[in-house]
Amino acid sequence: MVTFEQSESVAMVRQTVRDFAEKHIRPYVMEWDESQEFPLETFKELGKLGLMGVLVPENYGGAGLGYHEYVAAIEELAKVCGSVGLSMAAHNSLCTGHIMQFGNEEQKQKYLPLLASCEWLGAWGLTEPNTGSDAGRMMTTAVKDGDHWVINGAKCWITHGKSAQVAVVIVRTGELLDSRGMTAFVVERGTPGFTHGRKENKLGMRASETTEMLFDNCRVHESQVLGNVGEGFIQSMKVLDGGRISIAALSLGIAKGAYEASRKYALEREQFGQPIAHFQAIGFKLADMATQIEAAELLTHQAANRKNAGLPVNKESAFAKYYASEVAVKVANEAVQIFGGYGYTKDFPVEKFYRDSKLCTIGEGTSEIQKLVISRAVLRD
């Protein structure tokens, strides 16, 4: 176990979330997955526990905890249901995190208490239908009109794009490809011209809502700009640096959930007169899974440690996100193999870990983008 993670508060958070997940999430996991139901009330309950504002200071209604506690909370949720872990992470790291990091005092006082309690659910919009990794070519624009900005365009792959009461949206206010030509706005649900589009029918993470957000002459007052005009893209990159730690934690939870299910099954399932865990073919799979999980955990908490210390995490969060997400896919794949035919059915948990894991290598920057970030960082060093 990672030494710098050991603290009373981390242990307390871990046990609290574990107990909550067993009681309020595990009984409904497959029901939510099959129906693609977004369990909003579950997040309201997580809000009462302080888990929807883990990093938000107490004076804004949050839990005021650090990144080690945050990682532990996401991990414990993801060990039971990746969808719940994903939505909790997106709410905390992206929408809430962006306002916390770049909002002025009035914006923080207004939005952070609502978000930390999950009285309001948050969304964050950067990606567009034709600009995923290539955010500099975004086509959603905001044009100044007196003391308002008029937003037009669409964002896609948005977690909580339908159910969120408030969204942070990054749109173009300057020239195409200008890194200082984009601005972040806070847009509230109910603002005329702000609607949602279709809900995506996904391979995995099916209980985490993913939709389009649409803007049709949506008028937003200039007081809703986050930071300064033209800083939206630069802000987003900093927000994603922290957000990648949350995806690493999500990956870690999925990997651990798949591993623990596999280990238990391998000790119970008998073939040729003994548990299959005693066969080297299976034992070596479990050894590889355990080793990779341990390495992913070390990288994740290294990034968390630096984030808590206020140090740059661009390279370290990319290390953690890239490695942990790839490990989640590998471990989930091996878990299905260990379960054999049963692993291919919905009667056992590993097929869902397998489906959910793939998102971790895509969301908040693909594995290829992480390698780009890492290669640039190591060539600078």
Side-chain angles (χ1 to χ4, degrees), residues 45 66 98 101 106 143-144 154 158 182 200 212 242 244 264 270-271 319 322 325 354 356:
E45 293 300 316
H98 200 138
Q101 199 169 346
E106 185 180 345
V143 177
K144 197 79 160 67
I158 308 303
M182 288 163 269
E200 302 296 342
E212 297 171 311
R244 284 167 181 157
K264 182 174 182 290
E270 290 195 359
Q271 292 285 273
F319 276 159
Y322 168 52
S325 65
Y354 184 61
D356 287 350

Side-chain angles (χ1 to χ4, degrees), residues 176-194:
L176 201 67
L177 298 178
D178 180 2
S179 64
R180 294 191 175 273
M182 288 163 269
T183 303
F185 293 86
V186 184
V187 187
E188 294 182 21
R189 184 71 59 191
T191 304
F194 175 33

Side-chain angles (χ1 to χ4, degrees), residues 241 244-245 299 302-303 306 311-323 370-371 373-381:
D241 277 348
R244 284 167 181 157
I245 299 174
L299 284 171
Q302 172 186 256
R306 288 181 63 88
L311 297 170
V313 293
N314 176 257
K315 179 176 67 176
E316 289 76 13
S317 65
F319 276 159
K321 196 273 186 187
Y322 168 52
Y323 187 74
Q370 304 313 308
K371 286 194 274 190
V373 170
I374 293 164
S375 65
R376 287 175 174 172
V378 298
L379 291 170
R380 269 198 313 268
D381 290 347

Side-chain angles (χ1 to χ4, degrees), residues 138-214:
M138 65 172 58
M139 300 306 294
T140 300
T141 59
V143 177
K144 197 79 160 67
D145 181 20
D147 58 1
H148 283 72
W149 289 84
V150 181
I151 304 175
N152 281 287
K155 297 292 179 178
C156 66
W157 308 115
I158 308 303
T159 305
H160 314 144
K162 175 183 176 183
S163 295
Q165 281 81 17
V166 62
V168 172
V169 188
I170 298 86
V171 302
R172 189 157 56 81
T173 51
E175 295 301 313
L176 201 67
L177 298 178
D178 180 2
S179 64
R180 294 191 175 273
M182 288 163 269
T183 303
F185 293 86
V186 184
V187 187
E188 294 182 21
R189 184 71 59 191
T191 304
F194 175 33
T195 57
H196 66 86
R198 70 188 182 103
K199 181 176 178 178
E200 302 296 342
N201 185 9
K202 298 175 297 183
L203 168 73
M205 302 291 193
R206 288 166 61 81
S208 178
E209 177 186 281
T210 307
T211 73
E212 297 171 311
M213 289 195 303
L214 308 175

